Amino acid sequence: MSCDKEKAQVSVVIRTTGTRYKLPLLGNLLRSLSRQTVRDFELIIVCESNKEAIEKLVSKYFDKFKVIETGYWNRARTTNVGIKIASGEYVVLLDDDYTMDEKWLETMLGYIKDSPPYIACIGSERESVFKEALKYKFSIVKIFEKALSIASLWEKKAKVLPNGLIVTVDFGGMHVICRRKSVVEVGGCDEELNEPMVGDDSSIALKLWRK
């Protein structure tokens, strides 16, 4: 698959910590991207660490790509690094734990191309992939997952992939396509926000709204 920077109309930016347990999730995302009907896009992965392992993983699906290792993890700053490097007229911003059907990119490109110029970004409900056996210890993520499970909000829409990963409806994160020029003009994600909005598509939306 070609990801030629000079020809690509759209850049796909993925942010990831690069930690070991994240690699299977990233692999699922890359697999779904490799099967897109739109095949000409620039691929950029921005990670905190583990660059060599990520490059090895990405090379299974793509010939041309960029992996940028920052040495720190800040979702807003990490996203902004990818935005600055991107060269496409449009930029797709993704977390590493998503998967999409083969026409997702084609559909999103169609939506934003057909929208008025003042529409800077378009988001979508995506499927988030979590490994059932992941150990979050006593983190807020584990508590939140458990609460959702008890309420049966996830199980009703969850499905199991052949590799044992659980696919659920996402409740937040980054899964959006934007006009790169518009996002650059407002400075990308707001690095001053605190969790849970730091670095998510909502922080870009707020900056665009203020403009």
Side-chain angles (χ1 to χ4, degrees):
M1 174 179 291
S2 172
C3 297
D4 195 332
K5 178 176 177 179
E6 295 181 359
K7 298 179 181 178
Q9 185 180 34
V10 59
S11 300
V12 175
V13 175
I14 302 170
R15 62 183 186 184
T16 180
T17 59
T19 52
R20 185 174 59 182
Y21 81 85
K22 279 287 192 176
L23 293 182
L25 306 180
L26 178 60
N28 273 274
L29 172 58
L30 293 168
R31 188 179 301 109
S32 68
L33 285 174
S34 70
R35 296 170 178 172
Q36 295 296 300
T37 53
V38 173
R39 303 184 64 81
D40 182 24
F41 54 86
E42 176 187 24
L43 180 60
I44 300 168
I45 297 95
V46 186
C47 63
E48 173 190 5
S49 60
N50 217 6
K51 180 179 179 180
E52 290 185 5
I54 292 174
E55 288 177 334
K56 183 178 179 179
L57 177 62
V58 182
S59 65
K60 294 180 180 179
Y61 304 100
F62 297 94
D63 297 324
K64 297 181 180 180
F65 56 86
K66 282 188 175 182
V67 177
I68 309 299
E69 185 176 272
T70 62
Y72 56 79
W73 181 241
N74 176 295
R75 290 192 295 164
R77 199 179 304 165
T78 300
T79 304
N80 289 341
V81 167
I83 291 172
K84 291 176 182 177
I85 295 172
S87 63
E89 180 181 356
Y90 306 102
V91 59
V92 171
L93 304 173
L94 292 171
D95 280 325
D96 56 8
D97 53 4
Y98 293 109
T99 184
M100 58 279 295
D101 62 54
E102 63 184 15
K103 290 189 176 181
W104 183 82
L105 187 52
E106 177 184 346
T107 301
M108 296 301 286
L109 270 172
Y111 281 146
I112 199 163
K113 286 180 179 179
D114 292 342
S115 64
Y118 58 80
I119 301 296
C121 296
I122 296 177
S124 74
E125 184 181 79
R126 285 296 85 209
E127 292 183 321
S128 184
V129 183
F130 285 87
K131 196 170 184 63
E132 193 175 29
L134 283 183
K135 303 298 181 183
Y136 291 107
K137 296 184 179 179
F138 297 102
S139 71
I140 189 65
V141 176
K142 183 175 178 65
I143 296 171
F144 191 43
E145 266 188 53
K146 187 64 177 176
L148 288 174
S149 296
I150 292 173
S152 296
L153 295 177
W154 279 17
E155 278 84 349
K156 290 179 180 178
K157 296 184 178 180
K159 60 183 178 181
V160 182
L161 299 179
N163 58 7
L165 293 175
I166 306 299
V167 180
T168 65
V169 175
D170 175 55
F171 57 86
M174 181 69 78
H175 41 87
V176 64
I177 187 170
C178 300
R179 301 182 195 276
R180 185 176 61 86
K181 181 178 178 182
S182 299
V183 175
V184 170
E185 285 177 353
V186 298
C189 289
D190 190 341
E191 298 182 14
E192 300 301 318
L193 287 176
N194 296 317
E195 294 287 358
M197 294 182 66
V198 57
D200 284 343
D201 45 25
S202 52
S203 73
I204 293 180
L206 283 171
K207 293 186 76 174
L208 290 166
W209 177 73
R210 293 187 193 124
K211 182 182 177 184

